[in-house]
Each structure stands twice: as C-alpha cells, then as structure tokens.
Amino acid sequence: MQNVVLIIHLILALGLIAVVLMQRSEGGGLGMGGGGGGAMTGRAAATALGKLTWILAIAFICTSITLTIFAAENASGSSVIDRLGVTPPPSDTPDAPALPAGDLLLPPSADENAPLVPTLE
C-alpha cells in the first residue's frame, strides 16, 4: 500500500510541475501585475490550469500526509543502527594499528581540588 501511495505521490509531483510550467507568466512576482479579472478586482479569473493546479496541490498534500502516517507507524522508536544489531567482524590483518583504549580518547579530568568556577578573591 505504501508503494502505491508513493508512486501516486511522484506522479502528482511531476504533474504539478508540468501544470505550473504550462501556466502563463503574468510578470511581476507575488501576484503583482495580473490581469483577466478586471481593473477593480484583486482576484484573477480562474482558468482550467489554475483549477487543475489546486486539485493537484491538494492531492499532493494528502499523499504527503498519508506517507507521513505510514512512516510514523513503521517507526519503532529506535535508531537504525540499533536495529542492525550487527557487530563488525574482527580484522584479519596483523598490520592494522590497534585502536587506543576508550579512556585515552577522553579529555583529561579536572583536578578535584580546583574550583569549577574561578572566584575573585
């Protein structure tokens, strides 16, 4: 089911791109410069491509929400690495340098007697 919704989602995305690119450019960004609706109206006339754009956009959002629900159901709350549970096999090459112990990778600890915050005395 998830694969079917994903394929529909991809087809809607391609259709939405095609419909938006086929629309007539009205010059100016953000709805400025328009036409077709009359001098006093702030809304342009709804064309067939405009209606199709809205339909495809709503369907695209619905498939996005559906895919998000599928992903949330499949998530088990653990990391992908935790789900692997596979330890790497030991290397057979004797020339490989040995890794330092975990304690050597940490920064040196602070002196226990030294104050954590310097005081103005």
Side-chain angles (χ1 to χ4, degrees), residues 1-50:
M1 179 67 181
Q2 185 175 358
N3 289 334
V4 173
V5 176
L6 184 61
I7 290 172
I8 293 171
H9 187 71
L10 292 175
I11 291 171
L12 287 171
L14 293 174
L16 191 58
I17 291 170
V19 169
V20 167
L21 289 176
M22 287 190 311
Q23 291 182 11
R24 181 176 61 95
S25 173
E26 298 189 6
L30 300 174
M32 297 176 349
M40 297 303 287
T41 61
R43 187 172 174 195
T47 62
L49 285 178

Side-chain angles (χ1 to χ4, degrees), residues 44 48 63 94-95:
T63 56
D95 298 334

